[in-house]
Amino acid sequence: EPFNDPDGRIKPSQKQVEAGAMWARPSQFVQAPCVIRLLSYLTVTQSLAGDCSFVSSLAVCAGWERRFNRVLISRNIFPQVNGEPCISPY
């Protein structure tokens, strides 16, 4: 059963509404959802939803992983399949 927040869904901002943003699970709009294909500071982006300080922190951590060839954050992204981040089944 998919998770339902007892406090309800967060309302999108006016900018998000104007851009056509809506709530949907990845499996509702992507045939084979993939959370992370390549972890790189170049692939971390902020779109209509996202906190810039959080997104920039992800980009720095991703760059560190690639530079030093060591795991820093990717092992902490859940759920996982065989140790790799994957899309939630819910």
Side-chain angles (χ1 to χ4, degrees):
E1 181 70 26
F3 174 77
N4 285 311
D5 191 326
D7 295 325
R9 295 180 175 167
I10 298 172
K11 293 183 181 179
S13 69
Q14 184 62 36
K15 185 176 180 180
Q16 291 169 326
V17 171
E18 290 170 4
M22 59 182 243
W23 283 102
R25 298 187 186 280
S27 59
Q28 292 174 296
F29 60 90
V30 178
Q31 194 168 27
C34 176
V35 175
I36 296 175
R37 189 168 287 123
L38 171 65
L39 185 61
S40 163
Y41 67 93
L42 297 171
T43 59
V44 177
T45 61
Q46 178 179 354
S47 60
L48 289 172
D51 179 294
C52 61
S53 60
F54 176 72
V55 173
S56 62
S57 297
L58 286 178
V60 169
C61 290
W64 189 93
E65 282 196 5
R66 289 182 58 83
R67 179 177 180 185
F68 296 105
N69 198 28
R70 295 185 60 199
V71 175
L72 181 63
I73 61 165
S74 57
R75 69 173 173 227
N76 296 314
I77 300 172
F78 292 91
Q80 295 183 356
V81 172
N82 299 323
E84 295 292 323
C86 68
I87 195 73
S88 173
Y90 302 108

